[in-house]
Amino acid sequence: MSTVLYTFSATGNSLTTACKLAELLPDCTVKSVTTYGHRHSVTEEADAVGFVFPVYYGDMPWPVRNLIHKMVFAENAYLFAVPTYRGGWGDVNKRLNQLLNTRGQKLSLSCGVPMPGNSFINEPQVDQGYLDAQNENVEKAAERIRNREVEDYRTDEILPLRPVDHPNNFRGITAEESCVGCGVCVSVCPMGNIRLQDGKAVIGDNCATCLACFHWCPAEAIWMSKQENIARRSKYHHPDVVLGEIIALKG
């Protein structure tokens, strides 16, 4: 039986999780959400389809939502999610199930993997603990997926809109005068939302708030939040991921 994992990743947490998971699942392929999200429609014929993505404000990133809106799945496909998250995953399972319902499908299983956050801040020892436990948590998820476990994520609740339900720069992400115009932020942005003008980065409103621009900026010239306590937090990316791998996700 074939398995496909669609992953969205800005700092490498979900990318490494997807790659580790693919090694543990039979006949498994990893695909980029960003690459396929640009298509008008996506037909996926795999027997099992997984979505590996970070949780933003208790929801999925906009590119994941956008892709699923376009997808056609095989009949009786086993659909699962492996969200990576810092503090919790909120209503993401209910939201994902409701979205899949619009495609005539349902979410069969969700197995979260706690990871260091790229926005709000943990103590360093907490983040290191998440990194140390990543392999074990992925192995647990893989076992449940191989066993085709099923949980019920149905809800009649009308879930309120989250700020990431549509592209917008609600956090006020911007580049400052210290920008050197290197173009790294342009290369990593999954939304094509950043351009260079007069040698400086200009960030628009078609934003998924993934914060890849902030964390990969070599000049540390991106201001990533209106909240003062995190606007200049330390940069982060998964220690096993390099810049080129994030850029490659754009296809």
Side-chain angles (χ1 to χ4, degrees):
M1 298 179 69
S2 59
T3 302
V4 170
L5 300 176
Y6 285 90
T7 187
F8 178 81
S9 191
T11 56
N13 286 343
S14 293
L15 176 60
T16 55
T17 296
C19 291
K20 292 174 184 292
L21 189 60
E23 294 176 356
L24 300 171
L25 298 176
D27 191 17
C28 186
T29 303
V30 177
K31 296 182 179 181
S32 168
V33 165
T34 305
T35 299
Y36 285 84
H38 293 301
R39 301 187 179 188
H40 293 295
S41 64
V42 177
T43 299
E44 182 51 71
E45 298 179 350
D47 304 298
V49 182
F51 298 93
V52 186
F53 57 83
V55 175
Y56 297 160
Y57 293 84
D59 202 347
M60 70 201 84
W62 165 254
V64 176
R65 180 179 295 278
N66 179 50
L67 172 64
I68 294 175
H69 270 303
K70 305 173 182 181
M71 295 189 75
V72 178
F73 300 94
E75 187 177 359
N76 298 320
Y78 179 80
L79 306 183
F80 63 93
V82 183
T84 60
Y85 63 95
R86 169 192 170 271
W89 50 19
D91 294 323
V92 72
N93 296 331
K94 295 177 183 178
R95 293 174 184 275
L96 180 55
N97 185 64
Q98 287 184 341
L99 178 57
L100 288 170
N101 289 168
T102 69
R103 311 306 298 162
Q105 301 287 342
K106 67 177 182 179
L107 179 63
S108 297
L109 182 68
S110 183
C111 303
V113 175
M115 295 294 291
N118 73 344
S119 177
F120 297 99
I121 304 169
N122 284 329
E123 293 295 325
Q125 60 269 27
V126 174
D127 282 345
Q128 187 58 53
Y130 288 158
L131 290 170
D132 292 342
Q134 184 183 16
N135 286 342
E136 180 181 354
N137 286 326
V138 171
E139 289 170 1
K140 290 178 180 178
E143 182 177 8
R144 298 188 68 190
I145 294 164
R146 288 194 301 266
N147 292 335
R148 294 296 189 263
E149 293 186 24
V150 174
E151 292 186 355
D152 188 355
Y153 301 103
R154 289 177 297 178
T155 178
D156 295 327
E157 180 184 0
I158 299 176
L159 299 171
L161 295 177
R162 303 299 296 162
V164 295
D165 276 343
H166 62 284
N168 67 110
N169 190 2
F170 70 93
R171 299 189 65 151
I173 303 168
T174 187
E176 299 181 336
E177 284 301 313
S178 57
C179 172
V180 298
C182 67
V184 167
C185 58
V186 177
S187 298
V188 298
C189 177
M191 303 293 286
N193 184 48
I194 306 176
R195 72 183 193 279
L196 293 181
Q197 180 176 310
D198 299 326
K200 302 291 183 180
V202 178
I203 300 172
D205 291 325
N206 186 39
C207 179
T209 66
C210 70
L211 303 180
C213 58
F214 172 84
H215 287 285
W216 293 101
C217 175
E220 300 191 2
I222 306 290
W223 189 79
M224 58 89 91
S225 177
K226 297 175 183 177
Q227 295 180 251
E228 185 176 349
N229 63 324
I230 61 173
R232 287 298 188 191
R233 61 150 286 173
S234 59
K235 309 293 180 182
Y236 168 79
H237 64 79
H238 192 285
D240 295 338
V241 169
V242 297
L243 175 61
E245 292 175 292
I246 301 299
I247 294 174
L249 290 176
K250 292 178 68 173

